[in-house]
Amino acid sequence: MILVTGGARSGKSRFAESHVNGKVLYIATAVATDAEMRERIEIHKASRPKNWDTYEGFLDLSEIISSNGNNYDFILLECITTLITNLLFHFGGFDAEKINYTKVEAQIIAQIDEILKQSKSTKAEVLFITNEIGLGIVPADALSRNFRDIQGRANQKIASICDEVYMIMSGLPLRLK
């Protein structure tokens, strides 16, 4: 298992995609919530090799990995950050003032744990792409601070399990593990 992390537009996807060959399952976690996001998703789709299979969704990804993992050489999960965003609103709702962040984080981490468990038991090599979002200023609002914290703890958990971890900066990889 490999974790690829870095900032937005750092080259994470390009780096991860260059490390896969053979039969690939691409798990896309983005949801088209507006026109700009739909355009981003279409650009991503167009850039992927046509022979890759794609699963689009963010719920119960451990089941997707479990049921498909032995049919592929590689599974590329992009991205953990988007997955956590979607799970945060799925489990917590859209009113930031009413989210029970402790409860929601436990539900998100349970999903991550199951993804990691199934990834470890599959023959496919699994690559996780995530954003490193904790390098900037402390966010001004509770939603953003809690999201950053959940993301950071999830990244730590995934990195601790993965065999290799890369940080991508300005398109250049730095192997951390």
Side-chain angles (χ1 to χ4, degrees), residues 4 89 169 172:
V4 180
F89 291 118
M169 296 174 65
L172 302 173

Side-chain angles (χ1 to χ4, degrees), residues 48-116:
R48 289 194 293 267
K50 302 297 181 225
N51 63 326
W52 289 8
D53 291 334
T54 300
Y55 173 81
E56 295 180 358
F58 67 92
L59 290 173
D60 302 316
L61 295 184
S62 61
E63 292 177 22
I64 300 304
I65 293 168
S66 174
S67 62
N68 291 287
N70 292 326
N71 301 323
Y72 292 91
D73 301 310
F74 292 89
I75 296 175
L76 194 71
L77 195 159
E78 184 162 17
C79 90
I80 296 296
T81 307
T82 306
L83 171 65
I84 290 173
T85 300
N86 292 333
L87 291 173
L88 174 65
F89 291 118
H90 176 77
F91 292 131
F94 291 95
D95 186 343
E97 299 296 318
K98 294 182 180 177
I99 296 174
N100 178 334
Y101 291 103
T102 302
K103 180 180 176 186
V104 169
E105 179 173 356
Q107 292 171 300
I108 291 170
I109 295 300
Q111 292 274 316
I112 298 291
D113 285 340
E114 281 302 309
I115 289 168
L116 292 171

Side-chain angles (χ1 to χ4, degrees), residues 29-46:
T29 62
V31 175
T33 55
D34 59 27
E36 187 261 345
M37 192 62 175
R38 276 190 289 283
E39 183 178 342
R40 285 176 177 260
I41 290 170
E42 289 307 315
I43 290 169
H44 257 278
K45 283 181 181 180

Side-chain angles (χ1 to χ4, degrees), residues 1-6 10-22 24-27 44 48-49 52 74-79 125-130 164 166-168 171-173:
M1 296 185 333
I2 298 173
L3 177 65
V4 180
T5 188
S10 62
K12 300 179 303 290
S13 298
R14 185 172 47 251
F15 177 82
E17 291 171 3
S18 73
H19 281 77
V20 300
N21 56 42
V24 177
L25 173 61
Y26 184 93
I27 299 176
H44 257 278
R48 289 194 293 267
W52 289 8
F74 292 89
I75 296 175
L76 194 71
L77 195 159
E78 184 162 17
C79 90
E125 186 169 331
V126 182
L127 287 86
F128 302 98
I129 299 172
T130 192
E164 298 175 29
Y166 295 89
M167 174 76 154
I168 311 302
L172 302 173

Side-chain angles (χ1 to χ4, degrees), residues 153-169:
R153 286 188 281 271
N155 282 352
Q156 289 180 56
K157 178 178 276 288
I158 297 166
S160 73
I161 300 289
C162 284
D163 303 301
E164 298 175 29
V165 178
Y166 295 89
M167 174 76 154
I168 311 302
M169 296 174 65

